[in-house]
Amino acid sequence: MPPPTAVRSTETPSAAARAAARRVLAPSRARRAPSAGQLARRRIMVSIAKRVLPLAAVGLLAAVALWPELDQAADNARVSFRRVLQAAPDALRIVDPRYQGVDDQNRPYTVTASVATQGGTENVVALDAPRADLLMGDGAWVYLESREGRFDRPTNKLDLSGRVTVHHDDGTQFVTDRAAVDLKGGSATGDDPVAVQGPFGTLTAEGFRLYERGQVVLFTGRARAVLEGGQ
């Protein structure tokens, strides 16, 4: 029997191979139109980004603006606030700010307001309805309030305007239009007419000088006093 010989196949590709080749599509640069579901998802993502990104920017701006206050912890001063009301490229508005510190004799003071507005590069804060509470060494206190004010944080100077009212815990109260308060030194001055009432009676003057956190008060200019009991 002769040995087997190799035979080269001449068969054409099978039907399955031809079908597989037809399923492979030629590359195309044509873009498919997004479906309605894809468009809806894109709109949702854009809407979320419009809300999240501004909030992130507000938080970053608040952190940058308040960092100097937080960095002054070594100087026994701190600041807190309730929430950011509005942020703009050149201003920051904060609701219910609270600035706390101590004077040169380690006595605490607190400055609060309904709203604080701070410029982006300024150290001076504009205050709406500011209030300052100063505690004296013997436990007595002095409380100041007004319609408007400006607080210079680096120097701890507070300028008040618009019906400035000073309360002393001994019952003395006086009202004027403007006053400058040195929180570190525990003093206040005013050169506008002032009206005073207290346990001693009533008094009017052309200005005042308050020293040692209200323990010493001088009235300047022409003054007129009416003492209780005709004394």
Side-chain angles (χ1 to χ4, degrees):
M1 176 181 293
T5 60
V7 179
R8 180 177 295 177
S9 174
T10 59
E11 295 181 2
T12 60
S14 66
R18 290 193 299 270
R22 286 195 297 269
R23 285 196 296 269
V24 178
L25 300 178
S28 174
R29 293 185 178 179
R31 299 181 60 184
R32 295 183 180 180
S35 64
Q38 291 174 330
L39 290 175
R41 286 192 294 271
R42 290 181 184 177
R43 285 195 294 267
I44 292 174
M45 293 299 295
V46 171
S47 178
I48 293 175
K50 287 181 178 180
R51 289 171 171 80
V52 172
L53 292 179
L55 291 177
V58 168
L60 180 61
L61 182 59
V64 171
L66 296 175
W67 182 256
E69 288 291 340
L70 300 176
D71 197 41
Q72 291 177 359
D75 297 331
N76 297 321
R78 60 180 179 175
V79 59
S80 62
F81 61 95
R82 182 178 177 184
R83 63 188 177 92
V84 175
L85 180 65
Q86 176 183 349
D90 58 347
L92 177 70
R93 300 187 67 197
I94 300 174
V95 174
D96 294 336
R98 178 181 296 270
Y99 304 90
Q100 294 178 304
V102 294
D103 66 3
D104 50 10
Q105 298 186 24
N106 207 36
R107 294 174 295 191
Y109 66 82
T110 303
V111 177
T112 61
S114 59
V115 176
T117 304
Q118 178 181 352
T121 59
E122 295 182 0
N123 290 320
V124 178
V125 182
L127 304 176
D128 294 343
R131 300 170 295 276
D133 195 345
L134 295 80
L135 182 65
M136 295 190 294
D138 58 0
W141 52 263
V142 174
Y143 179 77
L144 305 93
E145 60 181 343
S146 67
R147 295 171 183 166
E148 299 175 349
R150 292 176 64 83
F151 181 36
D152 189 335
R153 294 179 299 160
T155 62
N156 291 286
K157 299 292 181 62
L158 179 64
D159 292 328
L160 303 176
S161 60
R163 191 173 175 79
V164 180
T165 305
V166 181
H167 307 268
H168 193 285
D169 71 345
D170 65 0
T172 302
Q173 172 182 297
F174 54 97
V175 180
T176 185
D177 287 335
R178 296 180 182 275
V181 184
D182 182 356
L183 297 171
K184 277 286 187 180
S187 62
T189 62
D191 295 322
D192 289 359
V194 56
V196 186
Q197 62 179 7
F200 66 90
T202 61
L203 180 147
T204 59
E206 296 180 352
F208 75 94
R209 301 289 184 268
L210 184 150
Y211 302 104
E212 298 181 14
R213 294 198 163 208
Q215 295 183 359
V216 177
V217 181
L218 301 177
F219 296 99
T220 61
R222 290 179 294 181
R224 180 177 182 273
V226 177
L227 304 179
E228 294 289 342
Q231 300 179 0

